[in-house]
Amino acid sequence: DRVKPRTTLIIVALFALLAGYVYFFELNKTPEQISAALGTPTAKPPQYVVQVNTSGIQSVEINDLRAPREVKLTRVESGWQVNQPAEKAAERFRVDAALSALANLRASRVLTNVTDLAPFGLITTTLEARIVMSDTQQYAITVGNKSPDNRAYYVVYTGDKAQVFMVDVASIETLKEWLDAPPYEPTPTPTFTPTATPAATVTPVATETPKP
């Protein structure tokens, strides 16, 4: 019976010491100090399939790997020039927007240790996009099928199938559309100017003078 009160007093004393420690050493800390002690989680950096400076791109080629179709553009002083399938000026803003996405192509997911590429459509691939930099460095990706939810395409580096990337559908669809409708600069619509119609000439009607 004498042991129990003593044990209780010891427990109460330890609790009081712990409470005092928390009050004086933890509650008085700033949020920055608490975060530093606990460790602030850092956001996972994005994974890029390709990441280059768009201003350094000299040319881009889009090849249909299932049909003999190709779109090729080169940078010129005024913007962009379509070389294939026909030599025509390109719509600058349309090309810049597509190349900005391609030059900073982010992956929503990276699949590693893939042993069978067939389910991803990377055996009989659909499309290759290749950019050539002003220093002749080249970057090329090969595109396979869409993911089951139709939100991403499966992509690999051309010639390197160690990793399969999943990238947003929109960035690839824009390039695929070029095969059907190359990004030519629109032909200006001619302005119609109506021709003035000359006023009709009224011929006076001759009247017969009555005889006397």
Side-chain angles (χ1 to χ4, degrees):
D1 293 340
R2 293 180 181 178
V3 176
K4 290 182 180 179
R6 182 178 299 176
T7 303
T8 303
L9 289 174
I10 292 173
I11 293 174
V12 170
L14 290 174
F15 181 79
L17 289 173
L18 179 60
Y21 174 83
V22 170
Y23 179 81
F24 288 106
F25 294 97
E26 296 297 328
L27 296 184
N28 289 332
K29 283 185 177 182
T30 64
E32 291 77 11
Q33 290 173 322
I34 295 175
S35 295
L38 296 177
T40 303
T42 56
K44 187 177 180 180
Q47 295 175 296
Y48 288 91
V49 184
V50 178
Q51 189 177 29
V52 298
N53 191 335
T54 53
S55 63
I57 298 176
Q58 183 59 36
S59 66
V60 58
E61 299 175 19
I62 310 300
N63 289 284
D64 187 344
L65 301 179
R66 296 183 180 178
R69 296 190 299 169
E70 176 188 17
V71 176
K72 182 177 180 180
L73 298 90
T74 55
R75 187 186 294 275
V76 293
E77 187 175 350
S78 59
W80 291 96
Q81 177 80 10
V82 180
N83 307 115
Q84 292 288 346
E87 280 285 345
K88 291 184 180 181
E91 186 178 353
R92 181 172 183 174
F93 295 107
R94 182 180 169 191
V95 173
D96 283 344
L99 291 188
S100 178
L102 178 60
N104 297 278
L105 190 60
R106 294 177 59 169
S108 58
R109 188 179 176 188
V110 181
L111 309 177
T112 58
N113 300 321
V114 176
T115 57
D116 185 7
L117 295 171
F120 307 104
L122 293 168
I123 299 296
T124 54
T125 50
T126 61
L127 181 86
E128 182 188 71
R130 180 180 298 272
I131 55 179
V132 181
M133 308 299 290
S134 55
D135 62 359
T136 70
Q137 180 70 38
Q138 297 189 25
Y139 301 87
I141 59 167
T142 305
V143 182
N145 294 337
K146 285 183 180 179
S147 60
D149 60 5
N150 291 322
R151 293 183 179 181
Y153 271 104
Y154 297 112
V155 169
V156 293
Y157 290 119
T158 298
D160 179 8
K161 298 180 179 179
Q163 296 183 106
V164 176
F165 301 91
M166 296 178 68
V167 302
D168 182 66
V169 163
S171 57
I172 302 299
E173 288 290 352
T174 300
L175 301 177
K176 292 184 72 173
E177 289 170 2
W178 284 6
L179 294 168
D180 296 315
Y184 297 130
E185 188 173 50
T187 303
T189 304
T191 303
F192 174 74
T193 304
T195 304
T197 304
T201 303
V202 178
T203 304
V205 178
T207 56
E208 185 178 355
T209 304
K211 295 180 180 180

